[in-house]
Amino acid sequence: MKNMLKKVFKHWEVFLVVFLVLEFVVFGTANPKFLRTKSIMNSIVNYISVCIISLFVTMVMITGGIDIQAPSIIGLTSIIIGVLWSDAGLNIWLSVAIALVAAALCGALSGFFVAFCGVQPMVVTLGGSFLYSGIALMISGMSATPAYQGISGFPGKNEAGEYISFRFLGKGDVFGIPTQIIIYVVLILLCAWILHRTKYGERLFLIGVNQQASEYSGINTRATIMSTYVLSALSAGLAGVLVTSNVNSAKYDLGSGYTLAIITAVVLGGTLNTGGKGSILGTVLASLIICFLRYGLPLCFGVSTQNLDLPIGIILVLVVVGLEIAGQHMLSSLFRRFKK
């Protein structure tokens, strides 16, 4: 059993590709509507927040940290945009810029406590999730629009009915490909380059393996760790912008319920929760697996959307246990070799 797990986790991305193909085979056989290109793209768009944020949470977890505050930053970003544009009368793009700066500051605050104060990442980001959700609710109370309704009516559409300006981010398309998917692909390439082709990426892996040794080698580990939380928060801010543009509504709770899916996507992608190992490709594949699982189960097998967290939770537990068993086996093998 341990030998089998070792082989599977050694080539984890290949396993994820096989799993993804099986999803298409099973769901496509059960209901041919699943294979429609437009439906597939729409399912990705509906899940784009998790896909984008998981890319940058991967960097956080490679350093040995964790970030569960990103969903609350989605809502905070969204309501800041809405209130500044609708109630303060600011230009929509200036409102977006201010909201993204606010998101970055949230990440910097949490990152500071983790990196410079030595507080456990889980504690900091859990507290951050409550803090930023509370701030978002408070800002929502400043609007003339009731919080439960959401601020709507963002620009815009032209006379031809085409999405332009702010709404183009969420509802537009280029040659039939939704703008959000194009943004996601660009971010995948950017994150893959940063993590696997730059010295910054190398530092993240080194910190995850041994932070103290990385410090002795001349790496500013504290600033590097803090930067990952800033990037994660910025990605949540971008997700908030895209979701607001897509649904044409700014609400303080837009990101609620995403935490489990984000962490599952990163862990399922092969990133160790103890740090030191992970890949963007694995995270992307895992995100798509979860995305199509949530899309295919209701469409093909009539599973209620309220019960979709159950299979995701089961996947998370199985992968964590499998990684732990495989990791223990590899460590014991190394120990035996060293002993010889």
Side-chain angles (χ1 to χ4, degrees), residues 302-313:
V303 178
S304 171
T305 54
Q306 296 177 345
N307 298 324
L308 290 178
D309 283 342
L310 178 61
I312 294 175

Side-chain angles (χ1 to χ4, degrees), residues 52-60 66-71 73-74 103-104 107 125 226-239 262:
I52 289 176
I53 296 171
S54 62
L55 295 174
F56 294 89
V57 173
T58 299
M59 297 184 185
V60 174
I66 193 169
D67 188 355
I68 59 174
Q69 67 188 12
I73 295 177
I74 293 177
T125 55
M226 179 176 171
S227 69
T228 62
Y229 288 89
V230 174
L231 291 173
S232 178
L234 273 174
S235 71
L238 176 59
I262 292 170

Side-chain angles (χ1 to χ4, degrees), residues 14-15 136 214 293:
V14 176
F15 172 79
S214 301
L293 194 68

Side-chain angles (χ1 to χ4, degrees), residues 46-219:
N46 292 335
Y47 209 63
I48 203 72
S49 295
V50 172
C51 294
I52 289 176
I53 296 171
S54 62
L55 295 174
F56 294 89
V57 173
T58 299
M59 297 184 185
V60 174
M61 291 186 67
I62 284 174
T63 65
I66 193 169
D67 188 355
I68 59 174
Q69 67 188 12
S72 64
I73 295 177
I74 293 177
L76 177 61
T77 305
S78 177
I79 199 63
I80 288 176
I81 292 172
V83 170
L84 290 179
W85 174 77
S86 176
D87 295 272
L90 296 184
N91 175 273
I92 185 63
W93 296 113
L94 179 59
S95 301
V96 168
I98 293 173
L100 290 176
V101 170
L105 290 174
C106 291
L109 177 63
S110 298
F112 173 79
F113 283 118
V114 172
F116 290 90
C117 300
V119 185
Q120 288 294 325
M122 176 67 77
V123 175
V124 171
T125 55
L126 179 62
S129 67
F130 288 112
L131 173 63
Y132 305 140
S133 293
I135 294 174
L137 181 60
M138 182 181 67
I139 294 174
S140 179
M142 300 177 183
S143 175
T145 306
Y148 68 89
Q149 287 185 1
I151 299 169
S152 59
F154 292 99
K157 273 187 177 182
N158 59 19
E159 296 179 355
E162 299 171 333
Y163 288 103
I164 58 173
S165 186
F166 178 69
R167 293 299 309 283
F168 180 77
L169 291 176
K171 299 292 287 186
D173 64 82
V174 179
F175 301 113
I177 302 175
T179 310
Q180 295 196 57
I181 293 181
I182 294 175
I183 293 173
Y184 179 46
V185 171
V186 171
L187 289 175
I188 291 171
L189 297 175
L190 176 63
C191 289
W193 175 74
I194 290 174
L195 192 58
H196 303 294
R197 291 290 183 270
T198 65
K199 293 196 173 187
Y200 175 78
E202 291 179 5
R203 291 169 186 164
L204 297 184
F205 285 105
L206 290 172
I207 291 170
V209 172
N210 192 321
Q211 183 177 344
Q212 189 174 16
S214 301
E215 189 78 40
Y216 290 149
S217 67
I219 297 174

Side-chain angles (χ1 to χ4, degrees), residues 317-336:
V317 171
L318 290 177
V319 171
V320 169
V321 171
L323 284 169
E324 185 68 22
I325 294 173
Q328 287 178 356
H329 179 65
M330 285 184 279
L331 286 173
S332 62
S333 298
L334 287 172
F335 178 75
R336 285 196 299 269

